[in-house]
Amino acid sequence: MEITIFAIRFCSKLKTKDQTKPILTQITTMKKYVFLCVITFCVMNVQLFAQKQTALQNDYSVVKSSGTIPDDISSLFSSKFAKDLEDLKKSKISRKERLAKEKYLEQSHYYLNQMLTSGKIIYGSPFNAYLDKILDKLLVNEPELRSKIRIYIIKSPEVNAAATSTGIIFVNLGLLAQSGSESQLAYILAHEIIHYTKDHNITLYLEKDKLKRSKEGIRSSKSDNLLFKMHFRSREMESEADELGFKNYFSNSNYSIDQIFETFDVLQYSYLPFDEIPFNQTYLTDSVFMFPNDLFPKTINAIKARDDYDDSESTHPNLKKRRETMSKLTEKIDNKGRELNPQGKDQFLLLRDMARFECIRLNLINNDFAEAFYNTWVMEQDYPNNLFLEKAKVASLYGICKYKKAGKTFDVIPSEKKTEGEMHKVVFLFSKLKGKELYAATIRNAWKAKTKYPQEEYFDNILSSLFPEFVKNYKISPSDFSKSTQNLVINKASEDSAKVSHQSRKLNNIQKKKSSSIDTDYIQYMFADLMNNKDFIEIFSNTCDSIGSEKKKQAKNNIKNKGEEDEDEETATWDNSNEEDNEDDAFDIREQRKIEKHNMSKGCRIGVGNVLVYNPFYKKFDFRYDPELQFLESEERQIEFIELYKDNAKRVGLQNKMILPSEFSGLDQDIYNDHVLLNEWTDEFFNWKIKGEPVMFTSNEISEITQKYNTKYLDITGVISSREKNYGSAAYLIVGIFVPYYLPFAIYGICKPSFYTVYYNMLIDLEKGKVIFVTTASLERSDKKMFLNSKIYDSLNQIKSK
């Protein structure tokens, strides 16, 4: 613009129009060209974002890692530790400090490696690229430092970030999901950079180690004083990270300073869902029926989060102190010209929403169904026609009604008294809804979703799981439901009430009560619009016929064992105060127990020829020392255990493929993503705490794994070995002194080491989400190769043989 103005002024000084005309023409042409380029660039960017937004409007695909697997993930912990140990030996420090640092490096490298190979890490994703650009801006003047820092995303809904002594900064998806701007993320990264440059982690460890060895050690009567000192020192480091992160990096960038204080707000309210949007009571209903008002609280619990809490037992200063400190540092700095989102508002919002989708998925995997439900409601305000959200809503309802039936709702719904804000409405609703009503609502929403997305098998699987239970547990049939909508019936009742208004007040009041009772008996109207749907009625009726035939068959086959059935009926009850009718068929329970006993007993023959082996584990403990977990030996024995498994699989003829983080190479990106998915599936599977075969939220994704590896069987195996303290030494010694002839035995008892080893193998059917084989062997002996070899052979032979 300044060049154009200068050119026009220059042309105006020329003497003739003939002289100025060509130049002005060129300038005008140049302006048009520049304007066209700018418009084209903007349109391209808008179209690119619009394409991403459109994709997000329709569905959501899980973010995967891409590119070469970083050395941080593919390298063994022992190799990284050995390298640092060599550097440590060259340093000129005291022997005590060197030993303490060596201990720290061994522990930190091991646990860091466990995190990096856990299947909870994302690398090479849009999230990583976005945060890398923030680091580029913050460290633009320190390229050497920038080259040392790497960012990884942790698949966790918790709002958190952390720096390690190796230069790795971990950022949780929960932080991305709840942050309000790029500037807020920049301030948090600046804070974490200081933790790394100031070696806060190792410094705190060394100070803790020094205090433990002092007169005020952890085992002394002043152990509380030690804890207080450690927390105080940690708070000092956090304050230093706040101040220096701002002074050294954030203030030198163009990020908005005002956002620092909103960052503290994000942290203060991080325990709440993504947003505080009033929950609509009609979310699960429509024109067919309505929930009565007594299923919703008259007032919601107030949000009580404070920033001036007592931080004496916290590792961080309270937020009020942090705000006050930053207020003093920023009071003289002008925020003019600084940007909220230098990479663009649309780009920030897109990545934030992607993180929110990821967090909803993690809520479901973790069985946090109430939180997943409300977060889904929040996201549907912007994405009303999203398939992923439709599945998340149905999955939340499915999980809650299954746990409601089992009388364990408290495992998946937080305490009503402790829930704050709009989330309180959701918790209150699910606490008050009875099992029958919840099943009906879930079936209704699953059917609506199935109608909207007929190709999506997940909804069919949900309906196949719920319909038989609904009919069987609550003795339901199509005749129990009205074909008229609730509103029409209520309106008719109101009209009838008006007709008798001239009658006595008593009769009038009775009629009003009848009308209001229709309003609360809403379950009969839940399928009003589906009672004329041939497909729905056919499934409903066929389910009823099937359950009826099954019950008759069971009654006929078990008539001789009626007394035993009655006894089982009394014991097979669920603890559920919210259920009005919650029965389990004793025959099913007994038969299920027989099947489990048969399948999981020693000597079982499964007849499976091909399995997928997922990350065999090995933990070696020695409780005579601190730390108790033997890090290097655990990794060494894990590698040996994997080789033993491979050898024995060949011996019994069991085909297998292994997903082993310890064997990842840089180009195994697809295998790494398989590892992440299997970790999430197994998390969801083992988080399911009630009986039955659940419809897994990740079931559609896991089908790709079964096809890729040509097996539906997942083998999870491992060993835990420990050496215990010999607590009987003193007793042996006393007996040996007073009973001389027992002295040789006493000496043997004192010298004999105490070992304990557990071998474990579980085979899971990925398609059914069901354990089909389990074997364990626990013996008071060391984990010698001969013992493990025999146990591995025995378990694999049972899996392979028919």
Side-chain angles (χ1 to χ4, degrees):
M1 187 67 180
E2 290 176 352
I3 295 176
T4 305
I5 293 172
F6 172 79
I8 292 174
R9 287 179 177 175
F10 173 77
C11 290
S12 66
K13 293 181 181 180
L14 296 178
K15 293 181 181 179
T16 65
K17 292 182 179 180
D18 293 336
Q19 290 175 305
T20 60
K21 187 175 180 180
I23 298 175
L24 287 172
T25 302
Q26 290 179 15
I27 292 172
T28 304
T29 304
M30 181 181 69
K31 288 173 68 179
K32 288 181 179 178
Y33 176 76
V34 171
F35 179 75
L36 182 61
C37 289
V38 171
I39 291 297
T40 303
F41 176 78
C42 292
V43 169
M44 287 177 64
N45 277 276
V46 169
Q47 287 178 341
L48 180 63
F49 178 75
Q51 289 173 0
K52 293 180 179 179
Q53 282 293 93
T54 300
L56 217 56
Q57 288 288 350
N58 297 330
D59 198 1
Y60 177 73
S61 297
V62 178
V63 170
K64 296 183 178 180
S65 299
S66 63
T68 304
I69 299 178
D71 290 339
D72 291 321
I73 295 176
S74 60
S75 301
L76 294 174
F77 115 85
S78 53
S79 62
K80 289 178 273 191
F81 171 57
K83 182 180 178 181
D84 280 358
L85 195 58
E86 286 298 317
D87 296 336
L88 181 62
K89 290 178 179 178
K90 297 175 184 177
S91 60
K92 296 180 180 180
I93 56 178
S94 67
R95 182 175 178 276
K96 282 186 178 180
E97 187 177 352
R98 186 173 65 254
L99 289 174
K101 281 191 174 182
E102 181 178 333
K103 192 175 178 181
Y104 166 79
L105 288 172
E106 185 180 13
Q107 292 184 49
S108 62
H109 273 302
Y110 179 83
Y111 289 119
L112 180 59
N113 191 72
Q114 291 291 298
M115 172 56 73
L116 288 166
T117 59
S118 65
K120 297 182 184 298
I121 298 299
I122 304 175
Y123 71 87
S125 73
F127 299 128
N128 300 83
Y130 188 82
L131 295 175
D132 278 337
K133 288 183 180 179
I134 296 177
L135 279 181
D136 292 341
K137 290 176 69 68
L138 293 174
L139 298 174
V140 64
N141 298 320
E142 297 187 47
E144 185 178 353
L145 175 59
R146 176 66 187 92
S147 66
K148 295 178 180 178
I149 297 179
R150 295 90 70 202
I151 287 184
Y152 295 108
I153 308 299
I154 297 181
K155 302 193 89 172
S156 168
E158 301 297 323
V159 178
N160 199 12
T164 72
S165 57
T166 62
I168 290 174
I169 295 178
F170 290 115
V171 177
N172 286 8
L173 282 169
L175 177 61
L176 296 172
Q178 297 220 27
S179 292
S181 69
E182 181 183 336
S183 293
Q184 293 176 19
L185 294 171
Y187 176 68
I188 290 173
L189 290 181
H191 174 102
E192 298 303 332
I193 290 170
I194 297 300
H195 280 315
Y196 167 63
T197 58
K198 293 297 181 180
D199 286 326
H200 280 167
N201 287 335
I202 191 168
T203 300
L204 192 63
Y205 178 88
L206 293 176
E207 291 187 10
K208 180 180 179 180
D209 183 73
K210 185 178 179 180
L211 281 170
K212 284 172 67 175
R213 289 186 282 105
S214 69
K215 292 181 180 180
E216 297 181 358
I218 195 72
R219 294 180 179 85
S220 73
S221 59
K222 297 182 179 180
S223 58
D224 288 343
N225 189 35
L226 168 62
L227 193 62
F228 173 80
K229 287 184 177 181
M230 294 312 303
H231 284 169
F232 178 78
R233 187 69 182 97
S234 178
R235 289 195 297 272
E236 282 187 330
M237 292 178 176
E238 293 298 330
S239 297
E240 183 180 33
D242 275 347
E243 294 177 31
L244 294 184
F246 173 75
K247 289 179 181 178
N248 296 354
Y249 304 112
F250 191 89
S251 64
N252 298 326
S253 69
N254 68 331
Y255 286 112
S256 172
I257 291 176
D258 292 343
Q259 289 297 292
I260 293 174
F261 304 99
E262 292 197 20
T263 303
F264 296 136
D265 291 334
V266 170
L267 298 177
Q268 182 174 345
Y269 301 109
S270 62
Y271 66 98
L272 296 171
F274 302 147
D275 209 337
E276 189 65 11
I277 298 177
F279 180 69
N280 193 333
Q281 295 182 193
T282 63
Y283 182 46
L284 292 178
T285 65
D286 46 35
S287 59
V288 174
F289 79 100
M290 292 289 291
F291 285 134
N293 290 330
D294 59 3
L295 290 181
F296 297 93
K298 294 180 180 179
T299 58
I300 60 174
N301 294 338
I303 295 173
K304 301 176 182 178
R306 297 167 47 202
D307 63 356
D308 60 344
Y309 51 87
D310 179 12
D311 59 9
S312 60
E313 297 183 0
S314 173
T315 56
H316 288 61
N318 70 41
L319 294 171
K320 183 179 180 181
K321 292 177 183 176
R322 297 177 73 177
R323 282 191 176 99
E324 290 171 349
T325 300
M326 296 311 301
S327 182
K328 292 177 182 178
L329 287 174
T330 61
E331 61 184 355
K332 295 182 180 179
I333 300 180
D334 188 6
N335 198 45
K336 186 177 180 181
R338 292 177 174 270
E339 296 184 62
L340 203 66
N341 299 294
Q343 295 184 55
K345 179 181 178 182
D346 290 342
Q347 182 68 9
F348 169 77
L349 292 177
L350 177 63
L351 288 171
R352 185 204 65 182
D353 287 352
M354 288 170 62
R356 290 183 171 185
F357 278 102
E358 292 283 341
C359 285
I360 290 173
R361 188 170 178 274
L362 292 169
N363 289 153
L364 293 169
I365 289 172
N366 296 333
N367 280 8
D368 296 326
F369 296 124
E371 187 170 357
F373 181 83
Y374 181 78
N375 281 333
T376 299
W377 149 258
V378 169
M379 295 304 291
E380 280 193 356
Q381 308 312 300
D382 293 326
Y383 304 98
N385 298 305
N386 184 281
L387 171 58
F388 175 90
L389 294 178
E390 196 75 51
K391 289 172 64 178
K393 178 170 71 172
V394 172
S396 303
L397 293 170
Y398 172 78
I400 293 170
C401 77
K402 294 285 278 189
Y403 272 79
K404 173 80 76 169
K405 171 182 173 289
K408 296 186 177 181
T409 316
F410 53 83
D411 284 345
V412 295
I413 296 179
S415 168
E416 181 192 327
K417 293 181 179 179
K418 295 181 180 179
T419 309
E420 300 173 4
E422 289 295 321
M423 183 69 177
H424 179 222
K425 290 182 182 177
V426 172
V427 173
F428 191 94
L429 172 64
F430 289 131
S431 297
K432 299 300 180 185
L433 273 174
K434 296 177 181 178
K436 181 167 65 173
E437 299 157 348
L438 190 51
Y439 262 79
T442 306
I443 288 172
R444 174 172 177 76
N445 278 272
W447 187 271
K448 289 172 65 178
K450 166 186 165 63
T451 304
K452 190 174 182 180
Y453 303 101
Q455 302 302 319
E456 183 55 54
E457 293 182 3
Y458 179 76
F459 303 121
D460 290 318
N461 295 337
I462 292 288
L463 290 167
S464 297
S465 173
L466 292 185
F467 246 128
E469 294 178 357
F470 184 51
V471 171
K472 186 174 182 178
N473 294 329
Y474 304 107
K475 300 177 178 61
I476 291 292
S477 67
S479 62
D480 294 314
F481 295 91
S482 172
K483 293 184 179 181
S484 301
T485 63
Q486 184 182 18
N487 287 337
L488 292 175
V489 173
I490 291 174
N491 291 339
K492 185 178 183 301
S494 299
E495 291 172 6
D496 291 343
S497 178
K499 290 179 182 178
V500 298
S501 60
H502 64 279
Q503 298 178 4
S504 68
R505 185 168 60 182
K506 177 181 178 180
L507 186 58
N508 211 355
N509 288 338
I510 291 173
Q511 194 65 38
K512 286 180 180 179
K513 286 186 177 181
K514 285 184 177 180
S515 177
S516 63
S517 68
I518 293 173
D519 182 57
T520 57
D521 191 19
Y522 57 92
I523 188 172
Q524 63 179 299
Y525 307 106
M526 279 190 171
F527 301 144
D529 56 337
L530 303 178
M531 296 309 293
N532 294 319
N533 185 303
K534 293 181 179 179
D535 293 334
F536 182 82
I537 293 299
E538 183 179 357
I539 291 176
F540 203 163
S541 300
N542 289 343
T543 302
C544 292
D545 293 341
S546 176
I547 297 299
S549 299
E550 182 183 342
K551 285 187 175 181
K552 290 178 181 179
K553 184 178 179 180
Q554 290 173 5
K556 184 177 180 180
N557 292 339
N558 295 279
I559 194 163
K560 295 180 180 180
N561 301 319
K562 186 65 170 65
E564 183 181 348
E565 283 191 23
D566 292 339
E567 184 179 348
D568 286 346
E569 191 83 31
E570 292 177 4
T571 58
T573 58
W574 300 103
D575 178 19
N576 191 347
S577 57
N578 290 328
E579 297 290 348
E580 68 173 4
D581 191 5
N582 189 14
E583 300 177 356
D584 250 308
D585 191 36
F587 176 79
D588 285 349
I589 295 175
R590 190 171 64 257
E591 287 302 304
Q592 180 64 24
R593 287 173 181 167
K594 287 180 181 178
I595 293 170
E596 291 175 356
K597 185 177 180 180
H598 172 72
N599 286 346
M600 299 181 187
S601 63
K602 187 174 181 181
C604 175
R605 297 293 182 261
I606 303 299
V608 171
N610 187 10
V611 299
L612 175 61
V613 187
Y614 178 55
N615 192 22
F617 63 88
Y618 204 108
K619 302 295 179 184
K620 182 85 173 179
F621 294 91
D622 194 330
F623 293 104
R624 300 173 301 164
Y625 305 109
D626 180 27
E628 296 164 344
L629 179 60
Q630 304 301 290
F631 306 110
L632 288 169
E633 196 169 355
S634 291
E635 182 179 88
E636 181 182 341
R637 297 307 299 270
Q638 181 185 25
I639 294 171
E640 292 176 1
F641 177 68
I642 290 169
E643 293 305 315
L644 281 177
Y645 186 103
K646 291 178 180 178
D647 291 342
N648 281 284
K650 287 181 181 178
R651 288 173 62 192
V652 302
L654 179 65
Q655 296 182 20
N656 68 90
K657 292 183 180 179
M658 291 190 166
I659 293 183
L660 306 171
S662 59
E663 296 184 3
F664 284 155
S665 65
L667 301 178
D668 291 337
Q669 158 193 326
D670 291 339
I671 299 178
Y672 179 81
N673 285 320
D674 293 342
H675 164 54
V676 172
L677 177 56
L678 280 169
N679 175 71
E680 291 177 335
W681 190 92
T682 52
D683 277 353
E684 184 181 6
F685 179 78
F686 288 114
N687 284 335
W688 192 263
K689 303 297 184 183
I690 56 178
K691 289 185 178 181
E693 300 168 13
V695 178
M696 310 283 284
F697 185 70
T698 53
S699 58
N700 284 10
E701 299 166 58
I702 210 69
S703 63
E704 299 176 9
I705 296 288
T706 60
Q707 294 173 13
K708 180 176 180 179
Y709 293 93
N710 194 31
T711 180
K712 65 176 183 176
Y713 298 106
L714 182 71
D715 195 19
I716 298 176
T717 184
V719 174
I720 297 176
S721 177
S722 66
R723 184 169 184 176
E724 312 283 342
K725 291 181 179 179
N726 196 337
Y727 293 102
S729 299
Y732 283 124
L733 183 61
I734 292 171
V735 172
I737 291 172
F738 289 99
V739 186
Y741 67 82
Y742 188 73
L743 186 59
F745 300 100
I747 294 172
Y748 173 77
I750 293 170
C751 298
K752 178 187 176 183
S754 179
F755 294 102
Y756 195 77
T757 301
V758 177
Y759 167 74
Y760 178 84
N761 190 298
M762 173 186 286
L763 192 66
I764 304 173
D765 186 326
L766 290 170
E767 290 181 355
K768 295 182 178 179
K770 180 181 180 181
V771 176
I772 61 172
F773 172 77
V774 171
T775 184
T776 59
S778 55
L779 292 174
E780 293 184 4
R781 61 166 62 185
S782 63
D783 54 339
K784 291 185 177 180
K785 184 176 180 180
M786 184 179 296
F787 164 71
L788 292 178
N789 202 51
S790 66
K791 296 304 175 186
I792 295 170
Y793 178 85
D794 181 61
S795 61
L796 298 189
N797 188 48
Q798 291 183 62
I799 291 172
K800 177 65 172 67
S801 301
K802 291 184 179 180

